Amino acid sequence: ELALISLTERLASRGHRVTVYNNPREIETFHGVDYKPLSWFDPQGLDAFVLFRNPWYGIHTFDCPRIFWSTDQQTAGNYAVDIFPYVDHTVYISPYHRDYHIRRYGADPDKISYIDLGVRLQDYAESVEKVPFRCIYCSTPGRGVDILAHAWPLIKQQVPEASLVITGDY
């Protein structure tokens, strides 16, 4: 989600009119980006439509370029039948991610590209104290923390001074 926020804010800062349709708690504008309920979405007059992460049926009727921006290996649905037939182009976050989708879902190499995820430099303006032997595990639930729970005692046996910080996503 931070990738989406970062991209939309950058597009807005360059003069584009950007609206994110989802289910926001508040209908507001942040950093030039409008956040509105999905129920308000009207495809008329779009210059482009960017589908983010999951299938959304009905996009094949939109009269504008339709782009799928994939930031996950698979979030929901079968991309080969739920997304690729309905979009004009797919953008991935790495060559590995792109190649995986070609192998797994048969993505058309002529209709795909990738851009690296950006770094929000302002998030790193302050220096932080370096702690020797500190390990940081940053992910989302279901992506290996259960394995880490079994591996950590083995790590501590080898490196008794090791410490662990577990965070969620960003």
Side-chain angles (χ1 to χ4, degrees):
E1 291 77 13
L2 184 64
L4 178 66
I5 292 167
S6 299
L7 177 66
T8 57
E9 287 178 359
R10 178 55 55 108
L11 289 170
S13 76
R14 292 182 176 183
H16 297 281
R17 192 182 81 228
V18 181
T19 305
V20 173
Y21 291 94
N22 199 340
N23 293 309
R25 290 185 191 132
E26 302 289 332
I27 299 162
E28 295 189 44
T29 299
F30 295 100
H31 304 285
V33 179
D34 295 325
Y35 291 86
K36 298 180 180 177
L38 187 55
S39 62
W40 290 17
F41 178 73
D42 180 3
Q44 300 302 315
L46 294 178
D47 293 326
F49 179 83
V50 178
L51 179 65
F52 180 67
R53 296 183 77 183
N54 295 322
W56 191 53
Y57 303 99
I59 65 171
H60 64 283
T61 63
F62 299 174
D63 188 24
C64 65
R66 297 166 309 239
I67 301 163
F68 174 52
W69 187 27
S70 179
T71 58
D72 293 305
Q73 296 293 346
Q74 179 180 3
T75 299
N78 178 341
Y79 292 174
V81 296
D82 295 331
I83 293 178
F84 295 151
Y86 307 108
V87 297
D88 302 305
H89 197 81
T90 301
V91 178
Y92 298 100
I93 60 173
S94 70
Y96 172 83
H97 190 200
R98 175 199 61 210
D99 294 345
Y100 173 83
H101 276 226
I102 291 171
R103 287 190 315 275
R104 169 109 188 227
Y105 300 110
D108 182 348
D110 294 329
K111 293 174 60 177
I112 59 179
S113 57
Y114 75 91
I115 56 173
D116 294 322
L117 292 177
V119 173
R120 297 169 67 106
L121 295 177
Q122 66 271 24
D123 292 349
Y124 300 94
E126 292 182 30
S127 293
V128 290
E129 177 189 354
K130 304 294 184 195
V131 178
F133 305 103
R134 173 180 283 165
C135 301
I136 301 173
Y137 180 86
C138 178
S139 189
T140 57
R143 292 190 179 167
V145 75
D146 55 332
I147 296 168
L148 177 60
H150 295 289
W152 187 248
L154 301 172
I155 294 168
K156 287 292 285 184
Q157 281 180 343
Q158 296 292 314
V159 186
E161 60 273 30
S163 64
L164 176 63
V165 176
I166 299 175
T167 70
D169 213 357
Y170 191 72

